[in-house]
Amino acid sequence: MTENPSAPEVGTLDWAPAADHPELLAPPVVAALAGLDLPAWVAPIDAALADTAAFCEAYAVPLEVSANCVVVSGRRAETERTAACLVLATDRADVNRVVRKHLDVRKISFAPMDDAVSRTGMEYGGITPIGLPADWPVLVDAAVTEQPWIVVGSGIRGSKLALPGPDAARLPGAEVIKLALGG
């Protein structure tokens, strides 16, 4: 991991290099970050405030900096395809049109909570695009990569990660597309 130049100035959080605080990350995130040359910062938060609206309000993080990661699953015949979608909190992923067509599935839906948690090794409400199963595409909305910084889950509800928005395009499995509704 390269040396991080300086902590992001995002919200009222106390950011620290993620590599120095594995206790604030889910195990798959720790493992993934160890293998990535990615400046990543972590900050502890109140787990009860992990949901986007409450988090942004409590920690003065603008919605356009916060990015949500959702897990979707679809089928075509006997083939199931699972992916993660990363979109800014100001937008919604066009799952039924853009994501369904991109994954070439007939029917698509958000993955059930228990399935998403067991397959990622992360907590619901803290799922992040870092450390997902290697065979999952990570569909990144183009607007995410245009932000100087984005704030995403850390794999647990008790912290958040910050990373440069353009670096979302460098995550394993990342595919940058126009993913947001109306985008």
Side-chain angles (χ1 to χ4, degrees), residues 75-88:
R75 287 186 107 36
R76 178 176 286 281
E78 298 301 314
T79 304
E80 181 184 17
R81 294 190 177 105
T82 302
C85 299
L86 187 64
V87 66
L88 295 175

Side-chain angles (χ1 to χ4, degrees), residues 63-64 66-68 70 72 84-100 102 110 138-147 175-183:
L63 283 172
E64 60 271 11
S66 183
N68 292 324
V70 295
V72 296
C85 299
L86 187 64
V87 66
L88 295 175
T90 54
D91 298 323
R92 285 187 19 221
D94 189 346
V95 173
N96 290 317
R97 188 175 55 87
V98 175
V99 177
R100 182 182 58 78
H102 188 81
F110 294 104
V138 178
L139 306 179
V140 179
D141 185 57
V144 169
T145 65
E146 296 167 3
Q147 292 297 320
E175 300 176 38
V176 179
I177 62 174
K178 288 190 182 253
L179 183 58
L181 281 167

